[in-house]
Amino acid sequence: MKVKVIARNPDDYVRETKLDIQRVPRNYDPSLHPFEVSREYTRALNATKLERVFAKPFVASLDGHRDGVNCMAKHAKSLSTLLSGSCDGEVKVWNLSKHECVRTFQAHEGFVRGMVVRYCGTSFFTVGDDKTIKQWKMESPGYGEEEEPINTILGKTVYTGLDHHQNDPVFATCGQQVDIWDEQRSSPIRSFTWGVDSFSSVHFNPVETELLASCASDRSIVLYDMRESTPLKKVIMTMRSNTLSWNPMEAYYFTCANEDYNLYTYDMRYLAKPIMVHMDHVSAVLDVDYAPTGKEFVSASFDKTIRIFAKDGGHSREVYHTKRMQHVICIKWSADNKYILSGSDEMNIRLWKANAAEKLGVLAPREREAANYSQKLKEKFQHHPQIRRIARHRHLPKTIYHQTKELRIMKEARRRKERNVRKHSKPGSVPVVSEKEKHVVTVMK
Amino acid sequence: MASPGEAAVDETHVGKKKKPPARYWQELQEEERKDENKVKNDAEQSKEAQQQEEDETQKAKKRKQDQSPSDGEKVKPGKSDPFPGPAPIPEDRLQKFKRKDKLKKPHRKQHKLRDIIARSEDASEMAQKQAARFDLLLPEEAGFLEGDEDEDTCMISQEDIAEAVDITSGAKYFNLKLSQFGPYRLDYSKTGRHLLLGGRRGHVACIDWTSKQLMCEINVMESVNDVKWLHSEAMYAVAQKKWLYIYDSNGIELHCIRKFNDVLRMQFLPYHFLLATASATSFLQYLDVSVGKEVAAICTKTGRLDVMCQNPHNAIIHLGHANGTVTLWSPNQKEALVKMLCHQGGVRSVAVDKTGTYMVTSGMDKKLKVYDIRAFKPLKSYFLPAGAACLSLSQRGLLSAATGDVVQVYKDVCSMPVTKPYMAHRLRGTVWGLHFCPFEDVLGVGHGDGFTSMLVPGAGEPNFDGLDANPYRSAKQRQEWEVKALMEKIQPDLISLDPTELAQVDQATWEQRHQDRVEVLGFDPLAKEKFVPKYKKKGRSSAGAIERRKKQVAHEEQRDVIRKSVEDKVKMEKERKERERKKAALSTQKSALDRFKK
């Protein structure tokens, strides 16, 4: 007779001393783990609920400006530095980790219209309503010294925006026309016009560094090549675009913030039709900025909210608002992909988390593992109706909620009317126009 | 590899003396150059062998690429690896961890979907392989019992086995003589550490049976029908004469649940925290023990319910009835999910295996039947002269059947025809309850004269999972496990026959999708256009002519259907006539036997 029965030595399964961690022998046999799917689903449901519980995106408010914040600039080299310019011509430099203002000075008379940090991070440019372009040192002046710009250029017209080249001492301004400046000269090396308009913003392409795009008041977006003397092409839309932002990873895409409550992502090569229309705002969109990963962007709107969109998502994944935040004028996504900065009418700069439920600070390895696991579970079960309902739910201010509803009704009515017109007219005489095609008037080259 | 300085030395100097001092790496290189061809051949051979033997993983591919370059310099010195690539994994072990079949690749145009599917498949394949590899590290092996030649394993007595094994295992064979309050029902906790005994005449005891420590012992002064551990060893339920009671491990009565009366049998669903009870009044009730609420009460309308078991794979409750049927129940439906006629007499006992594949039933007709519970098909039928009163299946698929005062254990009942039991043991009294201890080679038998713990080698799963059911867990670990388990309590409405249903794609019917599309578009893209007759000149487009032309194409679809049905009818009629004609021809033929007809 040969016989063996299971005989375990408890020493193999119990920790030796109290200082050890507990032993956890594993057996991954699926038959020992029944109800795999239902348990994972339950975990995913719990993770989704917890995400909504922990979604507290507001980090801090930076106050100190004495007028609405009109523009902001990220530091090129330092994550913790932010520059902001207000409507009374004051510029402030902030230390974000300490939540405090480190430097204040009067840069312009009237609005500070635009500001940008030079690629090296040692100086920055501002333009204002006083028709000047000023270059400032990043370091604050020593004790007893006056705040003096390094360089001042007096222009003929008001400048409304500026942007600096990625790696050359060249910058561009816009106003009545788009000007390209050399830092060493006091007159523009090139000027672009196309018709008689004013331009609201200009942006250099981050990859094809000689290309730039601007938004004009004749409802157009114009593309330029710095090396050529004439603009490349422009697309005219039904409403005016306020500003635009290039996708930093796929730099042939840019997204523009439009007055018709929508954002449009265009492919620079095919301007005839935007590749995506991003809807959800209920008022004009004032500013947009891409995340450094190029997968998402954030938009600021006149409706007092900030929304985060996926680059290929038609609707926002997130909406931020507070009771006190007024019309949001400028928005920036921090270079570490973790924070969002918004400057608004009521003189405050607000610091938000880019991922509302994310835990800040250093994570323990097990904590990080658990977070990754629950993230994956949420992804896996995201289409289940119960989970989707919880994940999508956002509380909105009453006005925005009602406006959204109203807009939806209006849109539905318009669609119904169009359908009826099509039904009662000659077949083919009322063609179906897609939402993407609707907003483009023409493309000119 | 050689630095330029060395190369210059080689060129300029011929004499041996002036060579730079020898370095070990140079020697190696020279050796390598000598053996270069040999090594190369070896490598190639091994490569071929590898190709034949196993599927190449990416790592192997990479290594191959490294080996393949034409210059032999890159071949590492020394012996080539005789077992290149990752160790092969046996196919059956891989199969054990397989979750799903590979998906069909979507069309090239859907490149994003293709990419997502490819990635997720890679990940799941890697997970499968890793899990299969991990099997090697499992510390314990299953038990077994083999007789010598001309020795039947069923003739080996428990005393012999207990003597042959080590002392701690031998101590797992013991008898408790409790003749006063028997016969006894019993239950093991999920980890297998704790035993709960319930005597017919009111004696309830819970024991840490490995250390033989008595946790509590009470007499409820009422008849006890069944006992069951709840999710942990801190609480248990006792079905008493009238109501259902819940006690804690110190024997303190926690609850008397007056909604549950005349309970005869109980089952606990550990992942749902549900206590399912079957009563003499033919009610099947579910109690959520985490919140203390009744989840469902189903009137089965089938009389006294004293045969019950659960399917551990999908948490469906099986009930056996006096008319020979077995019914399957979930808390979400008032009707039985399935009714199977299993026996010609009443059903005496039912058991379902761990994987939810097989159901074993025994009936008053003295038969033992095995069913495939996924396809609802009978597989095997055995005749037991005495008939089995109690059945229990172990984690590794051993079946124990109690016939009178004898417990028989069968091996591989489900897959192979069995003639002889694997083990047998005679007890003092009639068997009342039977339970395999999880993660141990032990069968607990409650009978009229107390309780017997039998050794059944090969019954239990040797390797437990520490996060699921850990027999050696500390109090702290138990607390943490309890919190986690409660957090992922499965809702009762997820109980269904197929537990993976939740992960499958809900494919809407074509009609549904079409209807949605019509609603969104506002028109039916597949609708046929209305026939508009062409305008013809010379008076051929008079109202009458147009109507006539319209009539030519009107009801096209209906006409097709009618035409087809008429054709079918004609064809059938023809066939029928042909058959009749043949029949008639046959009948008119006179056979030699016709003359005997009257």
Side-chain angles (χ1 to χ4, degrees), chain B residues 237-265:
Chain B
V238 180
Q240 295 180 16
K241 189 183 175 193
K242 190 96 199 242
W243 313 121
L244 176 70
Y245 289 80
I246 294 190
Y247 297 91
D248 79 348
S249 59
N250 297 322
I252 297 164
E253 181 187 318
L254 298 177
H255 301 287
C256 166
I257 302 164
R258 296 248 162 78
K259 266 195 168 176
F260 290 65
N261 58 321
D262 304 316
V263 175
L264 294 179
R265 289 287 176 266

Side-chain angles (χ1 to χ4, degrees), chain B residues 188-362:
Chain B
Y188 284 104
S189 67
K190 204 186 155 200
T191 56
R193 278 297 286 254
H194 302 273
L195 172 68
L196 181 62
L197 291 174
R200 180 90 205 134
R201 296 187 196 114
H203 177 214
V204 175
C206 42
I207 306 158
D208 185 350
W209 70 272
T210 38
S211 60
K212 315 270 189 322
Q213 262 179 348
L214 187 65
M215 291 160 74
C216 80
E217 189 175 26
I218 48 172
N219 199 316
V220 297
M221 309 303 280
E222 237 179 356
S223 66
V224 168
N225 292 323
D226 201 3
V227 287
K228 208 81 198 165
W229 284 110
L230 298 187
H231 57 280
S232 73
E233 55 271 17
M235 276 190 285
Y236 56 89
V238 180
Q240 295 180 16
K241 189 183 175 193
K242 190 96 199 242
W243 313 121
L244 176 70
Y245 289 80
I246 294 190
Y247 297 91
D248 79 348
S249 59
N250 297 322
I252 297 164
E253 181 187 318
L254 298 177
H255 301 287
C256 166
I257 302 164
R258 296 248 162 78
K259 266 195 168 176
F260 290 65
N261 58 321
D262 304 316
V263 175
L264 294 179
R265 289 287 176 266
M266 293 187 289
Q267 285 291 331
F268 184 68
L269 312 175
Y271 295 100
H272 303 77
F273 285 81
L274 288 181
L275 184 71
T277 62
S279 70
T281 54
S282 91
F283 266 88
L284 173 65
Q285 284 167 296
Y286 287 86
L287 175 73
D288 189 330
V289 298
S290 64
V291 291
K293 265 189 190 161
E294 189 189 43
V295 169
I298 304 164
C299 181
T300 60
K301 297 171 193 161
T302 45
R304 193 180 157 84
L305 300 173
D306 55 355
V307 179
M308 182 189 203
C309 84
Q310 66 163 310
N311 184 340
H313 179 63
N314 56 12
I316 297 285
I317 294 292
H318 294 225
L319 294 176
H321 304 290
N323 59 359
T325 54
V326 170
T327 48
L328 274 58
W329 299 86
S330 89
N332 307 316
Q333 209 170 312
K334 292 284 174 203
E335 294 293 313
L337 300 172
V338 177
K339 278 184 190 163
M340 298 170 76
L341 181 62
C342 294
H343 290 279
Q344 274 162 346
V347 179
R348 292 181 79 183
S349 184
V350 184
V352 180
D353 85 320
K354 187 177 67 164
T355 59
T357 319
Y358 304 109
M359 176 175 78
V360 185
T361 61
S362 73

Side-chain angles (χ1 to χ4, degrees), chain A residues 18 25-26 61 64 109 111 142 144 169 178 208-209 227 241 260 280 292 369 381 385 411 415 418 433:
Chain A
K18 278 196 167 176
R26 299 301 312 270
S61 165
E109 285 165 28
F111 283 47
V178 172
E208 281 296 329
T209 49
R227 295 159 294 196
S241 297
D260 65 358
D280 262 352
E369 232 165 63
F381 290 95
K411 204 169 156 190
R415 198 159 67 190
E418 199 186 301
V433 184

Side-chain angles (χ1 to χ4, degrees), chain A residues 1-15 21-47 49-50 311-312 366 373 376 379-381 384-385 412 415 419-420 422-423 427 432, chain B residues 96-97 99 112 131 134 138-148 151 156 160-161 164-166 169 172 271-272 312-315 354-355 439-441 457 460-468 470 472 474 477 487-490 494 499-500 502-503 521-522:
Chain A
M1 176 182 72
K2 274 199 277 183
V3 63
K4 179 195 177 291
V5 294
I6 298 167
R8 298 190 190 93
N9 185 358
D11 292 347
D12 297 341
Y13 296 95
V14 179
R15 61 179 173 178
I21 52 166
Q22 298 281 6
R23 284 193 179 145
V24 183
R26 299 301 312 270
N27 186 355
Y28 296 108
D29 188 350
S31 67
L32 284 182
H33 302 273
F35 308 107
E36 223 172 31
V37 178
S38 345
R39 285 163 80 189
E40 274 194 348
Y41 171 78
T42 313
R43 281 179 202 158
L45 189 65
N46 288 343
K49 285 179 185 171
L50 285 179
K311 74 162 195 229
D312 47 8
R366 281 177 68 185
Y373 178 61
K376 197 75 200 168
E379 216 171 275
K380 184 175 175 184
F381 290 95
H384 280 261
E412 189 52 47
R415 198 159 67 190
R419 202 158 63 208
N420 289 341
R422 189 172 301 123
K423 207 191 279 174
V432 180
Chain B
K96 196 166 110 182
F97 294 98
R99 298 302 204 288
K112 258 188 203 167
F134 188 84
L138 294 177
E140 304 283 341
E141 278 177 21
F144 59 86
L145 174 65
E146 282 169 17
D148 305 328
E151 187 190 21
I156 299 170
D160 290 348
I161 294 174
V165 295
D166 57 314
S169 305
K172 286 173 188 168
Y271 295 100
H272 303 77
H313 179 63
N314 56 12
K354 187 177 67 164
T355 59
F439 308 113
E440 292 285 354
D441 284 342
E461 171 65 44
N463 296 297
F464 57 85
D465 190 279
L467 294 185
D468 198 48
N470 187 351
Y472 296 98
S474 62
Q477 273 178 307
M487 282 287 285
E488 56 191 50
K489 180 185 86 167
I490 307 169
L494 295 181
T500 62
L502 199 63
L521 291 173

Side-chain angles (χ1 to χ4, degrees), chain A residues 109-128:
Chain A
E109 285 165 28
F111 283 47
V112 181
R113 285 290 175 184
M115 58 198 314
V116 66
V117 179
R118 201 169 180 273
Y119 57 90
C120 58
T122 52
S123 65
F124 61 94
F125 297 85
T126 57
V127 292

Side-chain angles (χ1 to χ4, degrees), chain A residues 389-440:
Chain A
R389 186 182 65 82
I390 294 168
R392 277 183 56 203
H393 176 80
R394 295 286 179 281
H395 172 73
L396 281 176
K398 206 186 243 172
T399 49
I400 294 175
Y401 180 76
H402 287 301
Q403 262 171 305
T404 316
K405 220 153 102 185
E406 202 178 304
L407 281 176
R408 199 186 311 134
I409 292 167
M410 282 160 68
K411 204 169 156 190
E412 189 52 47
R414 239 175 266 140
R415 198 159 67 190
R416 193 170 56 236
K417 173 153 193 185
E418 199 186 301
R419 202 158 63 208
N420 289 341
V421 168
R422 189 172 301 123
K423 207 191 279 174
H424 295 291
S425 51
K426 195 178 162 192
S429 63
V430 184
V432 180
V433 184
S434 71
E435 186 64 39
K436 286 177 187 172
E437 289 162 338
K438 235 178 239 174
H439 303 280
V440 177

Side-chain angles (χ1 to χ4, degrees), chain A residues 94-301:
Chain A
W94 303 88
N95 186 332
L96 289 178
S97 46
K98 288 183 184 166
H99 301 171
E100 65 178 20
C101 177
V102 292
R103 183 180 167 195
T104 311
F105 58 92
Q106 190 71 29
H108 295 279
E109 285 165 28
F111 283 47
V112 181
R113 285 290 175 184
M115 58 198 314
V116 66
V117 179
R118 201 169 180 273
Y119 57 90
C120 58
T122 52
S123 65
F124 61 94
F125 297 85
T126 57
V127 292
D129 266 0
D130 53 1
K131 301 180 187 175
T132 54
I133 307 169
K134 289 182 182 172
Q135 187 181 7
W136 307 83
K137 259 192 191 155
M138 193 56 86
E139 293 160 18
S140 40
Y143 183 73
E145 280 178 49
E146 284 271 311
E147 277 283 7
E148 282 287 324
I150 306 173
N151 198 4
T152 308
I153 301 167
L154 197 63
K156 285 179 194 124
T157 55
V158 174
Y159 299 106
T160 52
L162 90 162
D163 196 18
H164 201 281
H165 192 274
Q166 290 292 312
N167 40 26
D168 282 341
V170 173
F171 63 92
T173 60
C174 62
Q176 300 288 18
Q177 75 249 14
V178 172
D179 294 327
I180 311 289
W181 303 76
D182 194 314
E183 281 180 16
Q184 308 301 327
R185 302 198 194 175
S186 58
S187 57
I189 49 175
R190 192 151 290 152
S191 291
F192 297 106
T193 47
W194 194 341
V196 278
D197 326 298
S198 62
F199 295 89
S200 59
S201 74
V202 63
H203 285 277
F204 273 101
N205 188 318
V207 174
E208 281 296 329
T209 49
E210 313 296 315
L211 289 182
L212 57 162
S214 71
C215 300
S217 63
D218 70 338
R219 310 174 336 244
S220 69
I221 297 166
V222 193
L223 296 179
Y224 312 90
D225 191 333
M226 215 171 75
R227 295 159 294 196
E228 284 182 37
S229 57
T230 52
L232 288 176
K233 51 183 169 182
K234 73 172 172 181
V235 55
I236 300 180
M237 302 175 69
T238 48
M239 293 275 261
R240 188 166 71 93
S241 297
N242 284 316
T243 179
L244 60 83
S245 175
W246 291 95
N247 187 331
M249 297 312 279
E250 296 166 296
Y252 37 88
Y253 293 143
F254 63 86
T255 300
C256 61
N258 206 290
E259 285 279 323
D260 65 358
Y261 312 173
N262 296 340
L263 293 116
Y264 300 93
T265 299
Y266 277 99
D267 189 330
M268 177 171 80
R269 300 161 295 186
Y270 318 106
L271 290 177
K273 186 174 152 189
I275 54 166
M276 189 52 86
V277 183
H278 311 273
M279 299 189 241
D280 262 352
H281 278 298
V282 292
S283 190
V285 191
L286 298 182
D287 199 6
V288 58
D289 192 33
Y290 260 97
T293 57
K295 286 186 172 166
E296 286 175 325
F297 61 84
V298 60
S299 66
S301 166

